Amino acid sequence: MSYFDKRVAVIRDEAALLDAYAPDRIEHRDGQKQQLAACLRPVTLNRRPRNAFIYGPCGTGKTLVANYMLKELEQHTSKARGAYVNCWKRNTTHAALVEILNQLDIYTNYRQAVTDLLRYLEKESARKQVLVCLDEIDALDSMELLYDLSRSGIGVVAVSNDAYALMDIDQRIKSSLSVENIEFPMYTVEEVFDILQQRKQYAFVPGSAPERALKLAARLSGGDARIALETVRRAALMAEDEEREAFNVEDVKKAYTGGTKNFRKTEALKRLNEHEKAIYLVLDEKGELSTKKLWEEYNKRIKDPASQRSYRNYCGHLVRLGLVDASGNLTGRKYKMV
């Protein structure tokens, strides 16, 4: 027998457990789908859509619902075209516009100016209503992109883990954008269990994913569906490695404590900008610091430091991501690692 012969299979389709998987039915997000549909529906009446801002913690279905509804709209009417941009990967106005145009099958090259790219987009939008999902919107290096898209008649669905991501943008941009807020709260334990039950039928060999193990994964997830799915994926791999036909509660415990427990923190750290990373590393090395001392240490590490206002915003973002804890009032504020 070859080393590569698989003797026992627990996972039937691993894709159903991954973040990028798009199920035919989205559990426990009917209200949010209705809200977003109300923003997009004007397109079917030859009117401009209402821009939307989707926010909520990690693993609550924001990106899934946004992409699902854009695809539904495209299937419902020939008047709309959608595009998706992950702003963490395409964080400049130029890179985001190139990505949008590529998805709309409009040829561009990286040497073309932003004004040329916007002109192509306006031309396409005159033919069909273009709608763009900007995921992880707070990763953009400039929010001017929102103004440019809005002024060009492009519908915007902005997505962020941070409810305050658009709070401090220029009033000119805020007025032009005029978003409708759609909140995605954490899932309950029961809702996460339902999601696992739905994925189970696609992901696992029948009889290999017992209900008790799925319920434990749901309880450990903290309302984050991604953590639950990653936990059962790792548990299933453990069972396969040991040539067992099913994973169990102990596998789930080991999978969670062995890596999934810190999944949210690891993912959040990947998405910090250079200023937030510098602040985080200072606190990691120095421990608890006053806002004044942290500001001084941050300035020593960054070649081109941000303004004090931006620095305070970065600190606030780290707190909202659950990476840093803050205590005290504004002048006597102290920060430390969570």
Side-chain angles (χ1 to χ4, degrees):
M1 182 180 286
S2 168
Y3 287 110
F4 303 106
D5 287 337
K6 195 168 187 179
R7 286 160 281 190
V8 176
V10 173
I11 297 174
R12 179 165 58 184
D13 182 5
E14 193 170 4
L17 301 170
L18 302 179
D19 200 27
Y21 182 74
D24 295 331
R25 187 181 76 257
I26 299 175
E27 299 279 358
H28 302 295
R29 285 296 178 245
D30 287 343
Q32 287 80 3
K33 286 191 285 184
Q34 291 287 355
Q35 285 179 274
L36 187 52
C39 293
L40 303 179
R41 193 174 295 118
V43 174
T44 65
L45 304 172
N46 290 317
R47 301 203 309 259
R48 283 184 62 169
R50 304 201 300 266
N51 296 322
F53 174 48
I54 293 175
Y55 66 91
C58 296
T60 52
K62 301 182 300 296
T63 303
L64 185 62
V65 167
N67 280 326
Y68 178 89
M69 294 305 293
L70 286 182
K71 285 184 174 66
E72 281 282 301
L73 181 66
E74 284 185 304
Q75 289 170 8
H76 180 79
T77 176
S78 60
K79 300 171 184 175
R81 294 196 72 187
Y84 168 84
V85 179
N86 185 315
C87 299
W88 181 60
K89 296 178 180 177
R90 305 281 189 272
N91 71 333
T92 67
T93 295
H94 190 276
L97 288 173
V98 168
E99 179 66 17
I100 293 166
L101 289 166
N102 284 345
Q103 289 185 33
L104 298 175
D105 300 318
I106 299 171
Y107 174 76
T108 61
N109 67 64
Y110 277 92
R111 291 183 222 156
Q112 290 177 295
V114 166
T115 51
D116 293 332
L117 300 177
L118 283 170
R119 191 165 59 250
Y120 295 152
L121 201 50
E122 287 171 7
K123 186 177 179 181
E124 178 64 16
S125 194
R127 193 174 69 85
K128 285 188 178 184
Q129 176 63 59
V130 175
L131 300 113
V132 176
C133 175
L134 296 173
D135 202 358
E136 302 192 64
I137 188 71
D138 40 325
L140 281 174
D141 70 347
S142 170
M143 292 294 180
E144 283 294 322
L145 175 62
L146 296 174
Y147 182 76
D148 292 335
L149 292 176
S150 181
R151 296 287 288 179
S152 300
I154 312 301
V156 174
V157 179
V159 181
S160 177
N161 298 332
D162 185 0
Y164 303 99
L166 302 181
M167 186 175 71
D168 293 325
I169 63 174
D170 189 280
Q171 189 58 46
R172 171 180 56 93
I173 301 173
K174 199 176 288 187
S175 297
S176 177
L177 201 60
S178 186
V179 295
E180 306 248 347
N181 295 321
I182 304 175
E183 182 182 7
F184 280 61
M186 279 286 197
Y187 291 113
T188 65
V189 172
E190 292 76 17
E191 288 171 343
V192 175
F193 176 67
D194 287 345
I195 291 168
L196 292 178
Q197 285 281 65
Q198 180 202 35
R199 301 289 183 96
K200 166 185 168 179
Q201 58 186 313
Y202 304 107
F204 299 118
V205 172
S208 65
E211 190 171 293
R212 282 186 64 221
L214 297 182
K215 283 184 175 178
L216 178 59
R219 286 200 301 274
L220 293 172
S221 71
D224 186 331
R226 294 185 313 164
I227 288 179
L229 290 164
E230 180 62 13
T231 299
V232 296
R233 188 185 74 84
R234 293 188 185 204
L237 291 173
M238 287 180 188
E240 286 187 341
D241 288 345
E242 295 177 11
E243 298 184 33
R244 288 184 277 116
E245 293 182 348
F247 63 90
N248 55 39
V249 166
E250 290 305 313
D251 294 322
V252 169
K253 289 178 182 176
K254 288 177 186 175
Y256 180 72
T257 57
T260 318
K261 184 178 181 180
N262 296 315
F263 182 74
R264 189 184 292 122
K265 183 177 181 179
T266 303
E267 288 298 299
L269 286 172
K270 286 180 186 176
R271 285 156 173 75
L272 300 183
N273 63 38
E274 63 171 324
H275 302 278
E276 291 163 340
K277 283 177 183 173
I279 294 167
Y280 182 86
L281 289 172
V282 168
L283 291 171
D284 190 35
E285 291 176 20
K286 304 286 184 179
E288 187 175 53
L289 292 174
S290 68
T291 188
K292 181 181 178 184
K293 187 64 179 173
L294 180 56
W295 165 253
E296 292 170 357
E297 291 292 331
Y298 156 75
N299 273 270
K300 291 176 185 176
R301 297 176 182 240
I302 288 287
K303 196 173 183 181
D304 185 19
S307 66
Q308 286 207 3
R309 180 181 176 183
S310 293
Y311 157 77
R312 288 194 296 271
N313 288 339
Y314 295 144
C315 289
H317 190 216
L318 290 170
V319 171
R320 291 191 292 274
L321 285 172
L323 298 172
V324 168
D325 188 38
S327 60
N329 57 33
L330 192 61
T331 53
R333 204 163 182 77
K334 291 185 176 180
Y335 295 97
K336 65 179 180 180
M337 300 285 292
V338 171

Tab-separated table of all heavy atoms in Angstrom, residues 242-276:
chain	number	residue	atom	x	y	z
A	242	GLU	N	-5.836	9.699	12.261
A	242	GLU	CA	-5.819	8.536	13.151
A	242	GLU	C	-6.675	7.383	12.610
A	242	GLU	O	-6.943	6.418	13.322
A	242	GLU	CB	-6.299	8.953	14.548
A	242	GLU	CG	-5.356	9.940	15.221
A	242	GLU	CD	-5.860	10.408	16.581
A	242	GLU	OE1	-6.839	9.810	17.092
A	242	GLU	OE2	-5.273	11.352	17.129
A	243	GLU	N	-7.106	7.541	11.361
A	243	GLU	CA	-7.871	6.501	10.661
A	243	GLU	C	-9.162	6.126	11.394
A	243	GLU	O	-9.564	4.961	11.452
A	243	GLU	CB	-7.005	5.259	10.421
A	243	GLU	CG	-5.801	5.554	9.541
A	243	GLU	CD	-4.992	4.310	9.227
A	243	GLU	OE1	-5.587	3.222	9.110
A	243	GLU	OE2	-3.766	4.432	9.091
A	244	ARG	N	-9.834	7.164	11.930
A	244	ARG	CA	-11.151	6.971	12.533
A	244	ARG	C	-12.221	7.468	11.584
A	244	ARG	O	-11.989	8.416	10.830
A	244	ARG	CB	-11.239	7.718	13.874
A	244	ARG	CG	-10.418	7.072	14.964
A	244	ARG	CD	-10.599	7.776	16.309
A	244	ARG	NE	-9.744	8.958	16.420
A	244	ARG	CZ	-10.192	10.193	16.527
A	244	ARG	NH1	-11.499	10.443	16.494
A	244	ARG	NH2	-9.353	11.207	16.643
A	245	GLU	N	-13.388	6.873	11.633
A	245	GLU	CA	-14.438	7.190	10.659
A	245	GLU	C	-15.296	8.382	11.065
A	245	GLU	O	-16.182	8.796	10.316
A	245	GLU	CB	-15.337	5.956	10.439
A	245	GLU	CG	-14.592	4.811	9.755
A	245	GLU	CD	-15.478	3.619	9.502
A	245	GLU	OE1	-16.612	3.591	10.059
A	245	GLU	OE2	-15.061	2.714	8.756
A	246	ALA	N	-15.053	8.927	12.251
A	246	ALA	CA	-15.809	10.091	12.722
A	246	ALA	C	-14.960	10.872	13.710
A	246	ALA	O	-14.097	10.313	14.392
A	246	ALA	CB	-17.118	9.654	13.386
A	247	PHE	N	-15.179	12.180	13.782
A	247	PHE	CA	-14.515	12.969	14.833
A	247	PHE	C	-15.456	13.077	16.031
A	247	PHE	O	-16.657	12.817	15.921
A	247	PHE	CB	-14.079	14.341	14.323
A	247	PHE	CG	-15.172	15.265	13.876
A	247	PHE	CD1	-15.785	16.143	14.760
A	247	PHE	CD2	-15.585	15.298	12.539
A	247	PHE	CE1	-16.773	17.022	14.344
A	247	PHE	CE2	-16.579	16.163	12.109
A	247	PHE	CZ	-17.168	17.033	13.021
A	248	ASN	N	-14.893	13.440	17.178
A	248	ASN	CA	-15.683	13.445	18.404
A	248	ASN	C	-15.457	14.717	19.212
A	248	ASN	O	-14.743	15.628	18.766
A	248	ASN	CB	-15.373	12.198	19.236
A	248	ASN	CG	-13.881	12.073	19.532
A	248	ASN	OD1	-13.198	13.075	19.797
A	248	ASN	ND2	-13.362	10.856	19.477
A	249	VAL	N	-16.048	14.760	20.391
A	249	VAL	CA	-15.958	15.933	21.261
A	249	VAL	C	-14.509	16.235	21.619
A	249	VAL	O	-14.089	17.407	21.649
A	249	VAL	CB	-16.813	15.703	22.533
A	249	VAL	CG1	-16.475	16.733	23.605
A	249	VAL	CG2	-18.296	15.762	22.192
A	250	GLU	N	-13.715	15.215	21.904
A	250	GLU	CA	-12.307	15.434	22.273
A	250	GLU	C	-11.520	16.035	21.114
A	250	GLU	O	-10.644	16.882	21.316
A	250	GLU	CB	-11.668	14.110	22.727
A	250	GLU	CG	-12.173	13.605	24.059
A	250	GLU	CD	-12.014	14.642	25.176
A	250	GLU	OE1	-10.928	15.231	25.284
A	250	GLU	OE2	-12.992	14.873	25.906
A	251	ASP	N	-11.820	15.612	19.906
A	251	ASP	CA	-11.165	16.197	18.720
A	251	ASP	C	-11.487	17.681	18.614
A	251	ASP	O	-10.614	18.503	18.299
A	251	ASP	CB	-11.631	15.489	17.440
A	251	ASP	CG	-11.179	14.038	17.372
A	251	ASP	OD1	-10.051	13.760	17.798
A	251	ASP	OD2	-11.969	13.203	16.893
A	252	VAL	N	-12.741	18.028	18.866
A	252	VAL	CA	-13.161	19.428	18.810
A	252	VAL	C	-12.424	20.254	19.848
A	252	VAL	O	-11.948	21.358	19.563
A	252	VAL	CB	-14.699	19.545	18.997
A	252	VAL	CG1	-15.117	20.998	19.206
A	252	VAL	CG2	-15.417	18.973	17.775
A	253	LYS	N	-12.300	19.720	21.076
A	253	LYS	CA	-11.575	20.428	22.143
A	253	LYS	C	-10.120	20.660	21.751
A	253	LYS	O	-9.580	21.752	21.923
A	253	LYS	CB	-11.630	19.634	23.447
A	253	LYS	CG	-13.003	19.606	24.114
A	253	LYS	CD	-12.961	18.738	25.371
A	253	LYS	CE	-14.321	18.657	26.026
A	253	LYS	NZ	-14.311	17.732	27.192
A	254	LYS	N	-9.490	19.615	21.231
A	254	LYS	CA	-8.078	19.730	20.829
A	254	LYS	C	-7.909	20.706	19.670
A	254	LYS	O	-6.955	21.495	19.638
A	254	LYS	CB	-7.533	18.361	20.421
A	254	LYS	CG	-7.318	17.410	21.576
A	254	LYS	CD	-6.849	16.048	21.053
A	254	LYS	CE	-6.770	15.024	22.174
A	254	LYS	NZ	-6.431	13.677	21.642
A	255	ALA	N	-8.821	20.654	18.701
A	255	ALA	CA	-8.753	21.555	17.541
A	255	ALA	C	-8.886	23.006	17.982
A	255	ALA	O	-8.176	23.888	17.490
A	255	ALA	CB	-9.840	21.204	16.535
A	256	TYR	N	-9.771	23.249	18.925
A	256	TYR	CA	-10.011	24.616	19.398
A	256	TYR	C	-8.818	25.143	20.197
A	256	TYR	O	-8.292	26.224	19.909
A	256	TYR	CB	-11.276	24.658	20.252
A	256	TYR	CG	-11.599	26.039	20.776
A	256	TYR	CD1	-12.075	27.033	19.924
A	256	TYR	CD2	-11.413	26.359	22.112
A	256	TYR	CE1	-12.354	28.308	20.395
A	256	TYR	CE2	-11.689	27.629	22.596
A	256	TYR	CZ	-12.159	28.601	21.733
A	256	TYR	OH	-12.429	29.861	22.197
A	257	THR	N	-8.371	24.386	21.186
A	257	THR	CA	-7.249	24.851	22.019
A	257	THR	C	-5.932	24.839	21.258
A	257	THR	O	-5.021	25.601	21.569
A	257	THR	CB	-7.112	23.980	23.281
A	257	THR	OG1	-6.947	22.609	22.894
A	257	THR	CG2	-8.344	24.109	24.162
A	258	GLY	N	-5.843	23.992	20.233
A	258	GLY	CA	-4.593	23.870	19.491
A	258	GLY	C	-4.393	24.899	18.397
A	258	GLY	O	-3.361	24.900	17.724
A	259	GLY	N	-5.353	25.789	18.182
A	259	GLY	CA	-5.145	26.794	17.134
A	259	GLY	C	-6.348	27.657	16.829
A	259	GLY	O	-6.227	28.865	16.636
A	260	THR	N	-7.527	27.057	16.791
A	260	THR	CA	-8.707	27.829	16.415
A	260	THR	C	-9.049	28.894	17.445
A	260	THR	O	-9.634	29.925	17.110
A	260	THR	CB	-9.925	26.890	16.229
A	260	THR	OG1	-9.504	25.727	15.542
A	260	THR	CG2	-10.999	27.575	15.413
A	261	LYS	N	-8.695	28.637	18.705
A	261	LYS	CA	-8.987	29.589	19.789
A	261	LYS	C	-8.476	30.983	19.458
A	261	LYS	O	-9.103	31.988	19.782
A	261	LYS	CB	-8.354	29.074	21.076
A	261	LYS	CG	-8.653	29.901	22.306
A	261	LYS	CD	-8.000	29.261	23.525
A	261	LYS	CE	-8.292	30.054	24.776
A	261	LYS	NZ	-7.666	29.432	25.973
A	262	ASN	N	-7.305	31.050	18.833
A	262	ASN	CA	-6.674	32.346	18.520
A	262	ASN	C	-6.893	32.761	17.065
A	262	ASN	O	-6.224	33.671	16.578
A	262	ASN	CB	-5.170	32.283	18.819
A	262	ASN	CG	-4.903	32.055	20.292
A	262	ASN	OD1	-5.520	32.686	21.138
A	262	ASN	ND2	-4.000	31.143	20.599
A	263	PHE	N	-7.816	32.079	16.386
A	263	PHE	CA	-8.049	32.333	14.959
A	263	PHE	C	-8.445	33.781	14.702
A	263	PHE	O	-7.925	34.441	13.803
A	263	PHE	CB	-9.146	31.386	14.455
A	263	PHE	CG	-9.449	31.506	12.990
A	263	PHE	CD1	-8.584	31.003	12.035
A	263	PHE	CD2	-10.613	32.127	12.550
A	263	PHE	CE1	-8.864	31.107	10.686
A	263	PHE	CE2	-10.906	32.237	11.203
A	263	PHE	CZ	-10.029	31.720	10.274
A	264	ARG	N	-9.395	34.310	15.517
A	264	ARG	CA	-9.878	35.671	15.313
A	264	ARG	C	-8.744	36.686	15.498
A	264	ARG	O	-8.610	37.636	14.729
A	264	ARG	CB	-11.025	35.981	16.274
A	264	ARG	CG	-11.729	37.301	15.978
A	264	ARG	CD	-12.788	37.622	17.005
A	264	ARG	NE	-13.908	36.700	16.938
A	264	ARG	CZ	-14.315	35.951	17.949
A	264	ARG	NH1	-13.708	36.011	19.101
A	264	ARG	NH2	-15.346	35.144	17.814
A	265	LYS	N	-7.933	36.461	16.527
A	265	LYS	CA	-6.810	37.364	16.790
A	265	LYS	C	-5.796	37.322	15.649
A	265	LYS	O	-5.306	38.358	15.191
A	265	LYS	CB	-6.136	36.983	18.102
A	265	LYS	CG	-4.999	37.890	18.511
A	265	LYS	CD	-4.443	37.488	19.864
A	265	LYS	CE	-3.309	38.405	20.293
A	265	LYS	NZ	-2.773	38.018	21.624
A	266	THR	N	-5.498	36.111	15.172
A	266	THR	CA	-4.534	35.955	14.075
A	266	THR	C	-5.024	36.664	12.819
A	266	THR	O	-4.259	37.361	12.137
A	266	THR	CB	-4.311	34.461	13.778
A	266	THR	OG1	-3.861	33.815	14.966
A	266	THR	CG2	-3.281	34.271	12.676
A	267	GLU	N	-6.313	36.499	12.503
A	267	GLU	CA	-6.884	37.139	11.323
A	267	GLU	C	-6.882	38.656	11.457
A	267	GLU	O	-6.602	39.387	10.507
A	267	GLU	CB	-8.318	36.640	11.103
A	267	GLU	CG	-8.400	35.217	10.616
A	267	GLU	CD	-7.733	35.020	9.269
A	267	GLU	OE1	-8.173	35.661	8.305
A	267	GLU	OE2	-6.771	34.248	9.192
A	268	ALA	N	-7.189	39.143	12.678
A	268	ALA	CA	-7.198	40.595	12.904
A	268	ALA	C	-5.808	41.188	12.734
A	268	ALA	O	-5.639	42.259	12.138
A	268	ALA	CB	-7.734	40.895	14.299
A	269	LEU	N	-4.795	40.490	13.232
A	269	LEU	CA	-3.415	40.993	13.130
A	269	LEU	C	-2.961	41.108	11.674
A	269	LEU	O	-2.207	42.015	11.322
A	269	LEU	CB	-2.461	40.071	13.897
A	269	LEU	CG	-2.520	40.160	15.419
A	269	LEU	CD1	-1.669	39.066	16.059
A	269	LEU	CD2	-2.036	41.532	15.894
A	270	LYS	N	-3.435	40.205	10.827
A	270	LYS	CA	-3.063	40.245	9.404
A	270	LYS	C	-3.538	41.525	8.727
A	270	LYS	O	-2.974	41.960	7.732
A	270	LYS	CB	-3.690	39.057	8.668
A	270	LYS	CG	-3.047	37.716	8.950
A	270	LYS	CD	-3.792	36.657	8.143
A	270	LYS	CE	-3.305	35.264	8.471
A	270	LYS	NZ	-4.111	34.247	7.757
A	271	ARG	N	-4.608	42.124	9.263
A	271	ARG	CA	-5.261	43.235	8.588
A	271	ARG	C	-4.912	44.600	9.169
A	271	ARG	O	-5.513	45.603	8.793
A	271	ARG	CB	-6.786	43.013	8.616
A	271	ARG	CG	-7.201	41.943	7.628
A	271	ARG	CD	-8.504	41.281	7.979
A	271	ARG	NE	-8.946	40.376	6.920
A	271	ARG	CZ	-8.414	39.194	6.678
A	271	ARG	NH1	-7.413	38.754	7.406
A	271	ARG	NH2	-8.866	38.443	5.695
A	272	LEU	N	-3.947	44.646	10.064
A	272	LEU	CA	-3.534	45.934	10.624
A	272	LEU	C	-2.653	46.682	9.632
A	272	LEU	O	-1.832	46.076	8.938
A	272	LEU	CB	-2.766	45.725	11.931
A	272	LEU	CG	-3.499	45.013	13.074
A	272	LEU	CD1	-2.596	44.957	14.304
A	272	LEU	CD2	-4.811	45.690	13.400
A	273	ASN	N	-2.803	48.015	9.585
A	273	ASN	CA	-1.879	48.796	8.762
A	273	ASN	C	-0.570	48.979	9.519
A	273	ASN	O	-0.435	48.569	10.684
A	273	ASN	CB	-2.502	50.133	8.343
A	273	ASN	CG	-2.819	51.031	9.532
A	273	ASN	OD1	-2.078	51.091	10.515
A	273	ASN	ND2	-3.937	51.743	9.454
A	274	GLU	N	0.423	49.606	8.886
A	274	GLU	CA	1.753	49.690	9.491
A	274	GLU	C	1.746	50.467	10.805
A	274	GLU	O	2.494	50.148	11.740
A	274	GLU	CB	2.755	50.322	8.518
A	274	GLU	CG	2.443	51.755	8.134
A	274	GLU	CD	3.586	52.395	7.355
A	274	GLU	OE1	4.752	52.098	7.658
A	274	GLU	OE2	3.288	53.198	6.456
A	275	HIS	N	0.872	51.459	10.924
A	275	HIS	CA	0.796	52.259	12.150
A	275	HIS	C	0.190	51.440	13.285
A	275	HIS	O	0.689	51.464	14.417
A	275	HIS	CB	-0.034	53.520	11.897
A	275	HIS	CG	0.503	54.384	10.808
A	275	HIS	ND1	1.533	55.279	10.994
A	275	HIS	CD2	0.164	54.466	9.493
A	275	HIS	CE1	1.794	55.885	9.859
A	275	HIS	NE2	0.985	55.411	8.931
A	276	GLU	N	-0.881	50.715	12.996
A	276	GLU	CA	-1.515	49.880	14.012
A	276	GLU	C	-0.586	48.751	14.454
A	276	GLU	O	-0.527	48.411	15.643
A	276	GLU	CB	-2.833	49.319	13.469
A	276	GLU	CG	-3.901	50.397	13.282
A	276	GLU	CD	-5.043	49.963	12.389
A	276	GLU	OE1	-4.868	48.997	11.611
A	276	GLU	OE2	-6.107	50.603	12.460
